[in-house]
C-alpha cells in the first residue's frame, strides 16, 4: 500500500525524505517553494542528488510536486496566464531534476469568462508547456467554490481530452465531497469512482489526495479533517481505500490532513493502514 503525506522541504529538499519516513509514509508530496508567492524552485545539484539517492534507497514512491496556489490556468488575464505558465514550466523542470514523476495543479478560476472559455484557457495554457518525457502533469479535482473549475469530473475529462499533453488526474476526496460527490457511504464511493472511470478512465488516476472533510457534502467548503473523523467518516474512508480499483491499480494515497488535537500525519497514515482490509 502506497500512502504518505505532504511534507516540508525546510532546510533543503533532501530533508523531505526523512520527514516522510518520520511520519510512516512511503510516498509523498512537496512544494518546491512557498505556495503563496511567485517564486522559482531553488534546488542545487547536491540537494537534488541527495533527494534522488535517499528516495531510491528508502521510499516506494512516487513523489508529487504540488504547484503554487497562485497558478490559474483558467484565467482570461494575459499577465496572470503568463506567470502561471512560467511557474508550471519551472515546476516540471524541477520534477525532472529530482526524478519526480508528477506535478499536480488546480485548473483555477475563470473569473467571469465562463466555464467553457475557462476550460479552453486551461487547455491552451497546459499545451504551452514543454513537459519532460519523465514528468506527467496531474489536474486536481476542486471543491468548486465561486468560479473555480475542476469540481465537476466532466471538467477534468474535458481537459484531458482536449489537451495535446499526456495528462492524468489527482482526485482529492475532500474536494470531491465538497463539490457534491457523496463519498460517505460504500454506494456513494462506488458511484463516484464509476463516474470517474467512465469520464477519464481509472488508469488515468495517478494519485489521490486522501482527506476527510470538516464540512458537509456539496457545500463547496474546502477544509480537511482527520481520516474517518469528518463528514466523509470512517465508513466512506474504509470503502474508498478498499475499493477494488484503488487496490488493483495501487493508487498512491497522499494525505493533506490537519495537525491538530495532538495528531498529525503519523496518526492519519496509521489510520489509513488500519482501514485497509488484510
Amino acid at each position: 500500500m502506497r500512502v504518505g503525506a505532504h511534507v516540508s522541504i525546510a532546510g533543503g529538499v533532501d530533508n523531505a525524505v526523512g520527514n516522510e519516513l518520520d511520519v510512516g509514509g512511503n510516498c509523498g508530496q512537496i512544494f518546491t517553494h512557498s505556495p503563496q508567492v511567485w517564486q522559482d524552485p531553488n534546488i542545487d545539484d547536491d540537494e537534488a542528488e541527495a533527494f534522488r539517492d535517499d528516495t531510491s534507497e528508502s521510499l516506494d514512491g512516487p513523489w508529487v510536486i504540488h504547484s503554487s496556489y497562485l497558478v490559474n490556468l483558467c484565467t482570461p488575464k494575459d499577465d496572470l496566464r503568463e506567470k502561471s505558465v512560467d511557474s508550471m514550466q519551472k515546476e516540471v523542470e524541477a520534477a525532472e531534476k529530482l526524478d519526480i514523476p508528477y506535478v499536480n495543479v488546480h485548473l483555477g478560476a475563470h473569473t467571469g469568462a465562463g466555464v467553457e472559455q475557462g476550460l479552453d484557457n486551461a487547455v491552451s495554457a497546459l499545451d504551452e508547456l514543454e513537459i519532460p518525457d519523465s514528468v506527467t502533469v496531474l489536474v486536481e479535482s476542486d471543491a468548486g467554490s465561486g468560479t473555480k473549475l475542476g469540481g465537476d469530473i466532466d471538467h477534468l475529462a474535458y481537459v484531458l481530452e482536449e489537451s495535446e499533453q499526456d495528462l492524468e488526474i489527482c482526485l482529492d476526496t475532500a474536494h470531491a465531497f465538497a463539490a457534491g460527490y457523496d463519498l460517505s457511504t460504500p454506494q456513494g464511493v462506488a458511484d463516484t469512482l464509476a463516474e470517474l472511470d467512465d469520464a477519464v478512465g481509472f488508469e488515468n488516476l495517478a494519485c489521490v489526495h486522501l482527506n476527510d472533510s470538516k464540512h458537509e457534502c456539496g457545500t463547496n467548503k474546502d477544509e480537511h479533517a482527520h481520516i474517518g473523523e469528518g463528514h466523509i467518516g470512517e465508513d466512506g474512508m474504509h470503502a474508498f481505500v478498499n475499493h477494488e480499483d484503488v487496490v488493483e491499480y495501487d493508487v498512491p494515497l497522499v494525505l493533506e490532513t490537519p495537525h491538530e488535537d495532538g495528531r498529525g500525519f503519523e496518526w492519519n497514515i496509521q489510520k489509513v493502514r488500519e482501514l485497509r482490509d488484510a
Side-chain angles (χ1 to χ4, degrees):
M1 183 180 188
R2 294 186 290 175
V3 58
H6 184 123
V7 295
S8 171
I9 65 164
V13 68
D14 49 317
N15 289 334
V17 179
N19 292 338
E20 194 65 64
L21 293 171
D22 286 346
V23 296
N26 56 19
C27 64
Q29 181 175 268
I30 59 171
F31 293 122
T32 61
H33 56 83
S34 170
Q36 307 286 0
V37 297
W38 293 114
Q39 181 179 341
D40 292 342
N42 182 21
I43 301 167
D44 66 37
D45 291 343
D46 289 342
E47 285 180 22
E49 182 179 8
F51 176 89
R52 293 192 303 267
D53 290 347
D54 290 349
T55 294
S56 177
E57 291 172 4
S58 303
L59 298 178
D60 296 333
W63 283 106
V64 180
I65 290 175
H66 195 300
S67 64
S68 169
Y69 291 144
L70 301 180
V71 169
N72 186 348
L73 301 176
C74 295
T75 182
K77 300 176 182 178
D78 290 341
D79 57 341
L80 180 53
R81 174 192 174 90
E82 183 178 352
K83 287 180 179 180
S84 297
V85 171
D86 179 67
S87 178
M88 283 297 295
Q89 186 63 47
K90 297 295 197 310
E91 298 288 23
V92 297
E93 291 169 0
E96 181 182 37
K97 183 173 186 176
L98 294 169
D99 282 348
I100 291 179
Y102 301 120
V103 173
N104 183 72
V105 64
H106 295 270
L107 290 175
H110 66 72
T111 61
V115 172
E116 184 175 353
Q117 186 60 57
L119 292 174
D120 285 339
N121 290 346
V123 169
S124 62
L126 288 164
D127 286 351
E128 286 188 33
L129 298 176
E130 296 181 10
I131 303 174
D133 290 341
S134 62
V135 179
T136 300
V137 170
L138 307 182
V139 181
E140 182 179 346
S141 64
D142 198 270
S145 60
T147 66
K148 289 182 179 179
L149 301 180
D152 191 321
I153 288 174
D154 287 341
H155 295 171
L156 308 180
Y158 182 88
V159 172
L160 264 63
E161 177 67 25
E162 296 297 321
S163 176
E164 297 173 358
Q165 307 283 12
D166 186 14
L167 307 172
E168 295 182 339
I169 67 166
C170 171
L171 179 72
D172 186 306
T173 53
H175 294 174
F177 189 72
Y181 295 94
D182 189 355
L183 298 171
S184 64
T185 67
Q187 188 61 54
V189 169
D191 291 345
T192 299
L193 294 183
E195 182 174 343
L196 184 76
D197 191 25
D198 287 343
V200 302
F202 214 91
E203 67 277 7
N204 290 314
L205 177 61
C207 180
V208 166
H209 286 168
L210 192 71
N211 302 301
D212 211 325
S213 174
K214 290 187 177 181
H215 301 281
E216 293 181 358
C217 184
T219 59
N220 302 120
K221 293 181 178 180
D222 176 19
E223 192 174 4
H224 299 173
H226 291 308
I227 298 297
E229 299 199 354
H231 285 275
I232 295 176
E234 195 160 306
D235 287 348
M237 282 292 167
H238 178 270
F240 192 97
V241 302
N242 290 290
H243 186 276
E244 59 182 358
D245 288 332
V246 172
V247 175
E248 180 181 349
Y249 283 90
D250 192 22
V251 182
L253 309 174
V254 176
L255 278 62
E256 301 167 322
T257 45
H259 294 264
E260 59 189 19
D261 305 322
R263 292 172 290 179
F265 288 142
E266 185 174 9
W267 184 91
N268 282 279
I269 288 172
Q270 181 58 34
K271 181 69 172 181
V272 173
R273 295 190 187 282
E274 291 171 0
L275 288 174
R276 173 64 69 87
D277 292 340

